[in-house]
């Protein structure tokens, strides 16, 4: 059985994951209307992954005798000055999510809820991977700068990155 403190902290995270899905959906749409299909597909996949993160939490809360909350969401940013800015925002966003997961882990220990602590380890590992991917992408974007040819190649190659990260995603 979840304590009220843990239930409320997990529900907060459900909202964050749902908002993350919206953030990446907005990025996918922006890239799509700019004609960059590879980047757009990458973002659509990211958005789907965030929804999975949310659902995993929803199931966990309900299975442990809590009631998962489906909240109103903040509207995401829908336009960006550049692709660089968009990917910077992606990394910034993932850093915020990681901080939130760390806080949740901290609360689970304070509450001596070792089942929740164990459950959260998957998110800890996932955040390491997501931040690393975002940093790798940003390094490449910084290398490209304003070079149109570079952006064309990056748009093609990011699809490869999607395939790789999908292959590495744990099925748990
Ligand atoms: Fe579910 Fe990218 O944090």
């Amino acid at each position: 059985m979840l304590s009220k403190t843990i239930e409320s902290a997990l529900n907060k995270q459900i909202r964050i994951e749902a908002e993350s899905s919206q953030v990446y959906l907005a990025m996918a749409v922006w890239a799509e209307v700019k004609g960059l299909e590879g980047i757009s597909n990458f973002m659509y996949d990211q958005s789907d992954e965030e929804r999975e993160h949310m659902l995993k939490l929803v199931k966990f809360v309900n299975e442990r005798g809590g009631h998962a909350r489906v909240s109103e969401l903040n509207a995401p940013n829908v336009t960006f000055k550049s692709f660089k800015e968009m990917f910077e925002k992606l990394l910034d966003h993932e850093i915020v999510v990681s901080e939130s997961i760390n806080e949740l882990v901290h609360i689970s220990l304070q509450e001596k809820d070792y089942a929740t602590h164990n459950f959260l380890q998957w998110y800890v590992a996932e955040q390491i991977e997501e931040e690393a991917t975002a940093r790798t992408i940003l390094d490449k974007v910084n290398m490209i700068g304003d070079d149109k040819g570079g952006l064309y190649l990056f748009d093609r190659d990011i699809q490869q990155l999607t395939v790789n990260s999908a292959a590495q995603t744990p099925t748990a």
Side-chain angles (χ1 to χ4, degrees), residues 91-150:
L91 176 59
D92 289 349
H93 186 79
E94 286 304 329
I95 290 170
V96 169
V97 175
S98 295
E99 283 166 0
S100 171
I101 294 289
N102 281 346
E103 182 57 24
L104 253 179
V105 170
H106 177 69
I107 295 168
S108 71
L109 285 178
Q110 273 181 331
E111 293 283 303
K112 297 193 169 73
D113 184 340
Y114 300 112
T116 297
H117 183 267
N118 187 46
F119 167 77
L120 289 172
Q121 297 314 302
W122 184 85
Y123 287 85
V124 172
E126 181 69 11
Q127 282 314 118
I128 293 170
E129 196 189 307
E130 297 220 326
E131 275 191 42
T133 303
R135 286 199 174 88
T136 303
I137 290 173
L138 209 47
D139 285 346
K140 289 188 199 300
V141 170
N142 282 328
M143 265 193 292
I144 296 164
D146 293 328
D147 179 39
K148 288 260 189 292

Side-chain angles (χ1 to χ4, degrees), residues 17 20 24 50 53 94 97 127 130:
E17 301 292 347
S20 300
Y24 299 145
E50 298 302 346
H53 297 174
E94 286 304 329
V97 175
Q127 282 314 118
E130 297 220 326

